[in-house]
Amino acid sequence: MMQQQARIVTKPSTTFVRKFSVRARKMNVTRAQLSQDELKQQAAWKAVEYVKSGMVVGLGTGSTAAFAVDRIGSLLKSGELKDIVGVPTSIRTYEQAKSLGIPLATLDEQPKLDVAIDGADEVDPKLDVVKGRGGALLREKMVEMASDKFVCIVDESKLVDGLGGSKDAMPIEIVQFCHEYTLRRIAALPEVAGCEARLRMDGDAPYVTDNSNYIVDLYFQTPIKDSHAAAKAIMALEGVVDHGLFLDMVNVCIIAGSNGIEVKERQ
């Protein structure tokens, strides 16, 4: 039986965007109905509790991570935190942190981090995540892989039964050279069969990452059958820089929902 291949579409994407047991601790929080931004802020503030004076901290990118960066800046200003060095994962996070007076460094200067705090676009029950709809997946992965602890912060809308299950973008960063060729090769992989592959656009031109690369977004109608196999197959293609599957990386996931804050830890 012939295997279904991924479908390539010319319509631009507008998204800018260990086998183990998981122990969950529910934090009882009494509150009225909160907005999504308020939930994001609660998760971010809880995550910042993992930051202690003297630490080197990975600063994530995106709307949820921005709340954590703001909180770290505020605690530094008040003196509750001291001697923090931040390693930003994007130009916009660098600009935000700099404006808040957070001392900054790169991985060249600080190759080992104590903790990284960042959001995610999808989180599955094993704490594997999809990231990169904000376009910063390569720098995010580099910083978070260099961290002793990766604290992921989300609101409950990001929870999925399997990665790809939100039917929104799973990004892949590729080089500009012969990008259509690379897109077609990604779409032809049996490990991602059935998805739509789209080049991410910024108006009439391809979206360009902080690293001067392009992004191909994959859209799945059903969750990816084997995320590890898909990740391996994608990375085997010349022209691929990295992908938005962050597997076996998250140590702690903080989820803000209507019933309070839930902390899930990788065992």
Side-chain angles (χ1 to χ4, degrees), residues 61-94:
T61 295
S63 59
T64 309
F67 285 114
V69 177
D70 279 339
R71 180 64 171 166
I72 291 169
S74 177
L75 293 175
L76 277 170
K77 186 176 181 180
S78 70
E80 295 173 73
L81 282 178
K82 301 178 185 293
D83 302 319
I84 295 295
V85 175
V87 179
T89 55
S90 66
I91 292 173
R92 62 183 178 272
T93 299
Y94 167 85

Side-chain angles (χ1 to χ4, degrees), residues 59-247:
L59 306 177
T61 295
S63 59
T64 309
F67 285 114
V69 177
D70 279 339
R71 180 64 171 166
I72 291 169
S74 177
L75 293 175
L76 277 170
K77 186 176 181 180
S78 70
E80 295 173 73
L81 282 178
K82 301 178 185 293
D83 302 319
I84 295 295
V85 175
V87 179
T89 55
S90 66
I91 292 173
R92 62 183 178 272
T93 299
Y94 167 85
E95 292 172 344
Q96 179 195 8
K98 186 177 180 181
S99 72
L100 294 168
I102 301 173
L104 299 174
T106 68
L107 288 175
D108 287 338
E109 299 154 332
Q110 295 285 350
K112 186 171 180 57
L113 286 67
D114 297 290
V115 63
I117 300 175
D118 205 353
D121 302 305
E122 295 181 1
V123 181
D124 76 3
K126 299 184 296 183
L127 302 190
D128 288 335
V129 304
V130 166
K131 291 180 50 55
R133 291 177 190 162
L137 61 147
L138 175 60
R139 296 191 187 193
E140 288 174 330
K141 189 172 287 188
M142 290 176 69
V143 169
E144 285 144 22
M145 286 295 292
S147 302
D148 287 341
K149 179 171 289 187
F150 175 18
V151 181
C152 181
I153 47 177
V154 296
D155 66 86
E156 60 188 352
S157 71
K158 306 300 185 182
L159 303 181
V160 294
D161 293 330
L163 299 184
S166 71
K167 301 184 180 181
D168 210 334
M170 197 290 283
I172 302 171
E173 188 161 343
I174 66 171
V175 298
Q176 294 192 29
F177 176 73
C178 295
H179 62 276
E180 293 181 1
Y181 165 78
T182 303
L183 185 151
R184 289 194 296 267
R185 293 189 72 202
I186 293 169
L189 290 172
E191 290 84 357
V192 298
C195 73
E196 289 187 357
R198 307 179 192 172
L199 181 67
R200 184 179 298 190
M201 304 295 288
D202 183 5
D204 295 329
Y207 174 82
V208 179
T209 71
D210 287 348
N211 316 298
S212 300
N213 294 316
Y214 289 168
I215 288 181
V216 171
D217 286 317
L218 302 187
Y219 294 83
F220 297 86
Q221 291 304 305
T222 57
I224 303 169
K225 292 181 180 179
D226 187 333
S227 296
H228 285 81
K232 183 177 180 179
I234 291 166
M235 286 304 299
L237 297 178
E238 304 82 6
V240 169
V241 179
D242 216 325
H243 53 74
L245 294 168
F246 284 50
L247 309 177

